[in-house]
Amino acid sequence: MDKKIILTAIFLGLTAIILGAFGAHALKKVLTEAQLQSFEVGVRYQMYHALFLLFIGVFTFLNEKERLIIFWLTISGVLFFSGSIYLLATNGITNLKTKWLGPITPIGGLLLISAWGYLFYSILCKKSTI
């Protein structure tokens, strides 16, 4: 599981860098400033959570079940939060019907908060110290 978490973290970090560069160069010419800022928020949160997963992957204080729960909450959260922001921000150039994605973004945020909250709870309940 550690390898899977670390590889996922690396993939999220890699794609965040690619998407950030794409936004800064290619999308800068076709998106409004507000759309570009939204896109950058998606990139930023994706990178934050790539680093978070990297930490979870190497942090030995959690058991396998705790890692798995945090992993899936984080992956789902990034897909819903950052993914919906990417689609909403680029709606002007893709012409996709993305209005329904508006409520998905806060669900993704809630999943990300839940991952951090579960990490807090898991560590709080440990009897030994880190």
Side-chain angles (χ1 to χ4, degrees):
M1 185 60 180
D2 296 342
K3 183 177 178 181
K4 180 179 179 180
I5 293 172
I6 292 169
L7 286 173
T8 303
I10 292 167
F11 177 77
L12 286 177
L14 173 70
T15 55
I17 292 168
I18 292 168
L19 288 169
F22 180 67
H25 299 288
L27 294 180
K28 190 173 190 175
K29 300 170 186 169
V30 294
L31 297 182
T32 67
E33 187 63 33
Q35 290 171 321
L36 192 57
Q37 286 177 353
S38 290
F39 191 86
E40 289 172 355
V41 168
V43 170
R44 192 167 46 247
Y45 274 78
Q46 181 176 332
M47 182 57 82
Y48 293 158
H49 288 89
L51 296 172
F52 177 65
L53 282 180
L54 192 58
F55 169 76
I56 295 301
V58 298
F59 190 53
T60 59
F61 202 65
L62 298 170
N63 65 41
E64 196 68 22
K65 180 184 174 189
E66 292 164 337
R67 287 174 198 258
L68 190 60
I69 290 169
I70 292 168
F71 174 76
W72 285 111
L73 286 170
T74 304
I75 291 300
S76 303
V78 168
L79 287 174
F80 281 27
F81 185 81
S82 293
S84 65
I85 288 176
Y86 297 147
L87 292 173
L88 287 166
T90 59
N91 184 39
I93 58 174
T94 62
N95 294 320
L96 296 173
K97 294 182 181 180
T98 57
K99 199 170 194 176
W100 61 273
L101 284 172
I104 300 297
T105 308
I107 292 170
L110 184 60
L111 290 167
L112 294 172
I113 292 167
S114 298
W116 284 90
Y118 188 76
L119 174 62
F120 180 84
Y121 172 78
S122 296
I123 293 174
L124 183 67
C125 292
K126 300 283 182 196
K127 293 184 181 180
S128 62
T129 59
I130 296 176

